């Protein structure tokens, strides 16, 4: 589609006047102050070289960035390190072996605390086990596990021996596994008999068996963790129990130092906009930025904080902010296996209370669900330990932001809305909790050492108050190095739209203060009667109505207006989906909030929205429905029956005009 968001159409879009200063005590003791922006601006590479020194290197790098062959970057290329050593051993050597690394909370209520000393032994045994199975530096290992500590141990064991992991989300089908395993050419898959999901054991191994049975499978061994104790089919010689293999290994393993550019992992994107891409991340630069951003944005004090990221390990957030960033920083964290409503809708808050969680990192989709469930649920628990709240994955609607701040953060915790992608490896745009005056709904400002801006169609930077495309103008340490096996697709997807700049695929605007607001995918921007309108802003306007819990908006081809806005809404508890007056009221509400041009042509109350397994709304599928097309790739959808329900609704829906 043409230009993304014209300045003209932005003028009457959402205005946000609310401001929240950082709490004084947090500001006074913050890990990172406003000076960091100045320092990084004066000497960006010097700044990152300094952050790299927060890691322990076997050979210190002398070169920071090699950008001689763009867009193929090398960071700290002559340095050598072991990533697992940095995440585990060095904390034990520093005398913190007794500190809890992971408080594991299983869905059925079982729990397990693992200290750094214990983690070191487990990772060492697993590294020895993988070596016994023939895994070597440069090989790939697929990981298909529930949210159990062995997932983290597996990733670190791979890192320890220089093999790259490819984690496949534990909810994916045999098909998805087979494709990812074949693409990465993995030698070993680590899986489990099953995991607990909504109060029941759910099997995992059958999907792996199915995937591996396919003719072209590269897999030599399937390593199976026992979690649920359910019966599993067994292929002698190929299948190996994790506990049997690891128990007989030595807890001693000498971590070898690898090049900073040694591949650390391949991870496929969520598939929100199309077919997932295998994103390659390497070691030194990735770990530098994952650790630095975790330290800066969450203000982590490893001696006193209890950190909890609710993401699944199968997503990049789980990689960078469960495994690598927090452990590199010596954090104590909570890891939870299950869903937020098992056995009751207060489970998250019960966990916060139980462990005294101080930093919580979750997604807008979860926050909107909690809003829908009602304020009284979190109110039953003691959440007073919390001091910082994070959000990631989608733009957070201002009303959801306010709800999060008030009902979870007791109106005192700063919210850090962190924008980044699988491709960026680590956070790029976010407030700093001790520095930034926050605004509901805005990710605000590129982090120190990061160069992000908003440009128009001709790659010109837009002025404050303008809108366009989000781009990254300088390389950053944790940037993807390529799309696995497809350098050309890497160039075409990210580096061809704007010469010399990384194109993120997201629309954005700068407000009058120069703060960045994410407006959703460029593919999702609508063109209505010559005006560019962002799905995010119409959705936020709908969610700001008291009857709406969630909204997904798409532009559907329309003979008169080019595109017409079609909104799918989930109503809050007491609102009635058959109430004609409500639909008219919602249209008017959008009209008064954003302007008449943004009024949806159709508003369809639905029970559920199509979401990726990571919880993001898949607007492309709704567009397919709204335009009567066959559905595109649905393999990363949580529940495909959602689409059947929505499809049956559409033809019957009354036209609103
Ligand atoms: P695919 O690239 O396969 O379509 P995906 O983009 O959903 O999938 P991820 O890498 O998991 O895969 O998600 C990154 C995207 O999520 C960003 O490009 C952006 O659209 C969205 N996003 C993440 N965090 C934020 C945020 N804080 N605010 C707004 N959008 C966000
Ligand atoms: Mg993407």
């Amino acid at each position: 589609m043409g230009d993304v968001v014209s300045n003209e159409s932005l003028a009457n879009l959402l205005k946000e006047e609310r401001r929240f200063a950082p709490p004084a005590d947090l500001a006074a003791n913050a890990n990172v102050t406003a000076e960091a922006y100045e320092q990084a601006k004066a000497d960006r590479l010097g700044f990152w070289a300094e952050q790299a020194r927060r890691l322990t290197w076997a050979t210190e790098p002398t070169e920071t960035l090699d950008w001689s062959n763009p867009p193929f970057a090398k960071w700290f290329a002559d340095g050598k390190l072991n990533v697992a050593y940095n995440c585990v051993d060095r904390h034990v050597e520093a005398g913190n072996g007794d500190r809890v690394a992971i408080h594991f909370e299983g869905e059925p209520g079982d729990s397990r605390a693992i200290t750094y000393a214990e983690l070191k032994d487990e990772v060492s045994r697993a590294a020895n086990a993988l070596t016994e199975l023939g895994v070597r530096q440069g090989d790939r290992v697929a990981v298909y596990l529930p949210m159990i500590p062995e997932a983290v141990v597996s990733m670190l064991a791979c890192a320890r021996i220089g093999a790259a992991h490819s984690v496949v989300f534990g909810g994916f089908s045999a098909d998805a596994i087979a494709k990812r395993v074949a693409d990465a050419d993995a030698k070993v898959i680590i899986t489990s008999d099953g995991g607990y999901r909504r109060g029941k054991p759910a099997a995992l191994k059958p999907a792996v068996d199915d995937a591996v049975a396919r003719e072209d499978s590269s897999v030599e061994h399937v390593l199976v963790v026992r979690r649920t104790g359910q019966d599993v089919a067994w292929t002698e010689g190929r299948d190996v129990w994790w506990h049997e293999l690891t128990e007989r290994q030595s807890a001693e393993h000498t971590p070898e130092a690898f090049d900073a550019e040694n591949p650390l992992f391949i991870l496929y994107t969520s598939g929100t906009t199309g077919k997932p891409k295998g994103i390659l991340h390497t070691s030194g630069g990735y770990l530098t930025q994952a650790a630095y951003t975790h330290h800066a944005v969450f203000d982590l004090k490893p001696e006193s904080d209890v950190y909890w990221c609710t993401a699944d390990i199968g997503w990049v957030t789980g990689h960078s902010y469960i495994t690598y960033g927090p452990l590199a920083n010596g954090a104590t964290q909570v890891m939870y296996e299950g869903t937020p409503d098992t056995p009751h809708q207060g489970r998250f808050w019960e966990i916060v209370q139980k462990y005294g969680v101080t930093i919580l990192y979750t997604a807008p989709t979860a926050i909107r669900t909690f809003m829908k469930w009602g304020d009284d649920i979190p109110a039953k628990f003691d959440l007073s330990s919390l001091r910082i709240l994070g959000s990631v994955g989608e733009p957070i609607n201002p009303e959801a932001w306010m709800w999060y701040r008030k009902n979870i953060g007791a109106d005192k915790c700063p919210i850090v809305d962190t924008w980044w992608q699988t491709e960026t490896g680590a956070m790029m745009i976010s407030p700093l909790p001790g520095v930034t005056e926050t605004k509901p709904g805005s990710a605000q400002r590129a982090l120190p050492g990061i160069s992000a801006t908003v440009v128009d169609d001709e790659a010109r930077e837009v002025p404050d108050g303008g809108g366009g495309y989000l781009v990254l103008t300088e390389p950053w340490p944790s940037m993807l190095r390529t799309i696995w096996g497809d350098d050309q697709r890497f160039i075409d997807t990210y580096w061809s739209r704007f010469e010399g700049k990384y194109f993120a695929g997201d629309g954005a605007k700068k407000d009058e203060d120069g703060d960045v607001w994410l407006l959703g995918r460029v593919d999702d921007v609508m063109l209505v009667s010559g005006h560019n309108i962002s799905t995010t802003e119409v959705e936020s306007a709908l969610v700001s109505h008291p009857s709406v819990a969630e909204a997904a908006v798409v532009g559907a081809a329309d003979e008169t207006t080019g595109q017409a806005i079609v909104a799918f809404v989930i109503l809050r508890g007491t609102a009635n989906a058959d109430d004609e007056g409500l639909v008219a009221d919602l249209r008017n509400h959008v009209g008064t909030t954003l302007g008449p041009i943004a009024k949806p042509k159709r508003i369809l109350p639905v029970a559920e929205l199509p979401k990726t397994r990571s919880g993001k709304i898949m607007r492309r599928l709704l567009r397919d429905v709204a335009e009567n097309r066959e559905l595109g790739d649905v393999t990363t959808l949580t529940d495909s029956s959602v689409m059947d329900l929505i499809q049956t609704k559409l033809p019957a829906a009354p036209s609103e005009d």
Side-chain angles (χ1 to χ4, degrees), residues 98-270:
D98 291 339
R99 181 185 297 162
V100 172
I102 299 174
H103 284 293
F104 171 68
E105 180 78 13
E107 198 191 71
D110 56 321
S111 62
R112 207 176 134 195
I114 302 168
T115 64
Y116 274 95
E118 289 163 345
L119 188 61
K120 176 172 177 279
D121 288 354
E122 288 210 26
V123 171
S124 298
R125 286 201 174 90
N128 285 323
L130 289 175
T131 305
E132 187 182 313
L133 293 183
V135 180
R136 298 288 176 267
Q137 182 206 352
D139 288 344
R140 269 85 50 207
V141 173
V143 176
Y144 181 71
L145 282 172
M147 282 290 288
I148 54 175
E150 285 80 1
V152 173
V153 171
S154 298
M155 293 163 82
L156 292 172
C158 290
R160 196 171 184 99
I161 62 174
H165 52 74
S166 170
V167 180
V168 180
F169 172 62
F172 278 154
S173 63
D175 241 23
I177 304 169
K179 278 194 193 120
R180 286 164 176 73
V181 165
D183 189 63
D185 203 15
K187 230 179 183 173
V188 169
I189 302 187
I190 307 176
T191 187
S192 71
D193 50 359
Y196 291 95
R197 204 79 195 149
R198 299 196 186 283
K200 289 193 290 271
L204 280 185
K205 191 166 181 288
V208 171
D209 290 337
D210 180 350
V212 176
R214 307 192 182 191
E215 272 167 55
D216 53 351
S217 179
S218 52
V219 174
E220 293 165 15
H221 289 287
V222 178
L223 191 51
V224 188
V225 177
R226 188 140 74 196
R227 167 65 182 141
T228 58
Q230 65 203 110
D231 283 340
V232 290
W234 204 255
T235 304
E236 283 305 328
R238 185 198 73 186
D239 296 351
V240 186
W241 281 111
W242 169 279
H243 59 273
E244 283 178 5
L245 183 63
T246 56
E247 270 161 22
R248 61 178 155 83
Q249 305 297 324
S250 160
E252 296 300 319
H253 179 272
T254 309
E256 191 186 329
F258 300 107
D259 288 347
E261 286 295 341
N262 192 53
L264 183 61
F265 64 84
I266 300 165
L267 181 63
Y268 294 80
T269 55
S270 307

Side-chain angles (χ1 to χ4, degrees), residues 330-391:
T332 293
Q333 69 178 315
V334 173
M335 180 178 193
Y336 174 54
E337 178 185 28
T339 54
D341 55 354
T342 307
H344 57 81
Q345 294 180 333
R347 187 67 190 270
F348 269 30
W349 319 122
E350 185 179 72
I351 291 173
V352 168
Q353 174 178 290
K354 174 173 175 185
Y355 294 102
V357 171
T358 59
I359 304 166
L360 177 69
Y361 194 26
T362 193
T365 182
I367 297 164
R368 290 188 301 256
T369 303
F370 300 139
M371 283 172 78
K372 193 165 53 183
W373 289 345
D375 306 0
D376 53 317
I377 293 170
K380 288 187 210 129
F381 298 90
D382 179 3
L383 307 180
S384 61
S385 54
L386 288 168
R387 65 182 197 98
I388 294 174
L389 303 176
S391 173

